[in-house]
Amino acid sequence: QFRDALDAGIDGVKAHAVQVYGVGAKAGAQLKNDGIKSLFYAMALIVLYLAFRFDIRYCPGAIVALLHDAILVMGVFAVFYVDVSLTSVAALLTVIGYSVNDTVVIFDRIRENVGRLKDKKLSRIINISLNETLSRTLLTSLTLFVVTIMMNIFGTGLVANFAFAMNVGVVVGVYSSIFVAAPVLLFMDDKFYPAKGPVKGEGAKPAGGEQFVEKIRA
């Protein structure tokens, strides 16, 4: 109808459609179902990866952080009335991949420090690990954010939508790895792996043979 109106309204100009894109109710439902399935499969594989590489107690923190990132990105899309398409789903999966990569880096440092700093509580170890990886997290995220913000400013169409999702995802992915994943790890450790006694070096009393040695020294 638009093409016919242009042909009739402008003499000597033949209008032709360059691209036509439409999403009906059936296609929209399929897009929603495929997006939910892709997110579910991605999170399931991430759980298996974390359980194999680290420990099962690390998995809930990563999953909560991923759900947090996905929900916030879709929420920003809803607030700003950004079209949700297959490109948006691809951007959402990219955000999840970036977030879990950042989380794995922090968890890897926590695991190293758990074996190295055996005389400290897990809360203290997590705090030390976050401080040690903070500069790496900020610099990497800032670099990616600058690239995606340029794509958002100078890009158009689907490129701009993808870059917009990445802009939001980088911001929420940074603080979710620090303020969501790590606290959930600490909660899981306190809830299901409670300490059997005070940690040595932080108000603990020596036990067993160590008490005997202390008495001899005294």
Side-chain angles (χ1 to χ4, degrees):
Q1 293 176 350
F2 289 134
R3 185 179 60 212
D4 294 339
L6 289 173
D7 289 339
I10 304 177
D11 295 333
V13 175
K14 184 65 176 177
H16 64 280
V18 177
Q19 182 179 3
V20 177
Y21 181 76
V23 177
K26 184 176 180 180
Q30 183 178 1
L31 174 63
K32 180 184 67 175
N33 294 333
D34 291 344
I36 294 174
K37 288 179 181 178
S38 62
L39 292 176
F40 174 77
Y41 293 147
M43 291 180 183
L45 293 175
I46 288 169
V47 167
L48 292 177
Y49 168 74
L50 292 176
F52 175 77
R53 179 170 178 179
F54 297 102
D55 192 309
I56 194 66
R57 78 186 77 177
Y58 289 86
C59 298
I63 294 303
V64 172
L66 296 185
L67 289 174
H68 164 272
D69 297 345
I71 292 172
L72 277 187
V73 172
M74 295 305 297
V76 173
F77 269 52
V79 169
F80 290 95
Y81 294 94
V82 179
D83 293 336
V84 177
S85 60
L86 291 176
T87 305
S88 304
V89 175
L92 191 59
L93 291 175
T94 305
V95 168
I96 290 176
Y98 173 80
S99 177
V100 75
N101 175 72
D102 199 33
T103 303
V104 165
V105 171
I106 294 176
F107 281 175
D108 195 47
R109 182 56 61 88
I110 293 174
R111 182 183 61 176
E112 292 177 357
N113 287 336
V114 165
R116 186 170 58 89
L117 306 174
K118 296 181 179 180
D119 60 331
K120 298 184 182 299
K121 294 182 179 179
L122 182 60
S123 58
R124 177 61 176 163
I125 293 175
I126 291 177
N127 189 40
I128 294 173
S129 303
L130 290 176
N131 288 328
E132 291 177 351
T133 56
L134 184 61
S135 60
R136 177 263 172 201
T137 299
L138 293 179
L139 291 176
T140 304
S141 302
L142 181 62
T143 302
L144 180 59
F145 184 80
V146 170
V147 173
T148 54
I149 198 68
M150 290 298 104
M151 293 173 60
N152 198 3
I153 294 174
F154 298 104
T156 58
L158 298 179
V159 174
N161 287 349
F162 181 87
F164 179 75
M166 288 300 299
N167 289 336
V168 179
V170 168
V171 175
V172 300
V174 169
Y175 79 79
S176 68
S177 299
I178 298 175
F179 298 110
V180 177
V184 172
L185 167 62
L186 181 60
F187 171 79
M188 294 298 296
D189 186 80
D190 292 339
K191 184 71 174 179
F192 299 101
Y193 300 87
K196 296 182 180 180
V199 180
K200 181 183 176 182
E202 298 189 7
K205 296 180 180 180
E210 295 182 358
Q211 290 182 348
F212 180 72
V213 173
E214 292 294 335
K215 289 181 180 180
I216 293 178
R217 291 178 177 176

